[in-house]
């Protein structure tokens, strides 16, 4: 079953990705987003439904209104919903993807080396469990 609410899918063993999820949680006071790791059953179902690779995760994904967004487009669509002025970064969506995505890809390629990774996916606290699928 595909998520019906806006859902961020992330690499659950990536420290940078987990940090990004924590950042979103802390700046999403209306709890607009739900979350699922790409390794979870939900994440795997979404990847298969959209014909995306089910291993070798290279992008945070956003499922919103039945559409899937990847790379810089996903990140920008996420920050536009956050409090604290982060929505201002959405202006970069006006820049063509062929200019935005190379930077995203470079960070994605090096994220384990720069930020490390965990042995397993993070477990949400009891307060946050309802936001994770």
């Amino acid at each position: 079953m595909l998520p019906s609410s806006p859902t961020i899918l992330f690499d659950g063993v990536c420290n940078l990705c987990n940090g990004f999820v924590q950042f979103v949680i802390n700046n999403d006071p209306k709890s607009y987003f739900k979350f699922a790791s790409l390794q979870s059953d939900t994440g795997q179902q979404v990847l298969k439904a959209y014909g995306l690779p089910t291993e070798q995760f290279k992008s945070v994904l956003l499922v919103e209104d039945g559409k899937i967004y990847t790379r810089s487009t996903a990140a920008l669509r996420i920050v536009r919903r956050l409090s604290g002025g982060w929505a201002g970064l959405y202006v970069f969506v006006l820049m063509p993807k062929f200019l935005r995505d190379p930077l995203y890809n470079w960070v994605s390629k090096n994220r384990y080396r720069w930020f490390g990774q965990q042995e397993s996916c993070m477990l949400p606290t009891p307060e946050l469990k309802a936001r994770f699928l």
Side-chain angles (χ1 to χ4, degrees):
M1 185 169 144
L2 296 178
S4 58
S5 57
T7 303
I8 297 170
L9 293 111
F10 64 100
D11 182 350
V13 299
C14 168
N15 288 337
L16 176 62
C17 303
N18 281 300
F20 180 67
V21 168
Q22 291 300 318
F23 170 78
V24 171
I25 288 168
N26 291 334
N27 291 282
D28 181 18
K30 295 179 182 178
S31 299
Y32 180 77
F33 295 108
K34 300 279 189 193
F35 305 90
S37 75
L38 290 162
Q39 293 89 343
S40 70
D41 289 340
T42 299
Q44 291 291 297
Q45 288 174 7
V46 169
L47 291 170
K48 289 175 186 170
Y50 287 96
L52 296 169
T54 57
E55 295 179 9
Q56 304 295 323
F57 311 119
K58 296 180 181 179
S59 176
V60 66
L61 303 175
L62 173 62
V63 178
E64 189 176 38
D65 297 325
K67 296 179 183 172
I68 193 156
Y69 302 94
T70 63
R71 294 181 168 60
S72 63
T73 302
L76 291 170
R77 289 183 69 87
I78 291 166
V79 297
R80 81 177 178 152
R81 296 285 185 172
L82 302 181
S83 64
W86 293 105
L89 292 174
Y90 190 67
V91 71
F92 287 106
V93 80
L94 298 173
M95 183 183 298
K97 283 179 63 160
F98 74 87
L99 295 175
R100 287 185 276 126
D101 280 349
L103 176 61
Y104 185 98
N105 293 340
W106 179 64
V107 172
S108 176
K109 180 180 174 183
N110 292 291
R111 70 189 191 279
Y112 290 150
R113 186 169 9 138
W114 295 342
F115 300 96
Q117 65 187 97
Q118 302 173 33
E119 293 293 318
S120 60
C121 296
M122 75 176 216
L123 295 173
T125 63
E127 304 85 47
L128 295 175
K129 195 167 184 142
R131 294 187 68 188
F132 284 78
L133 304 177

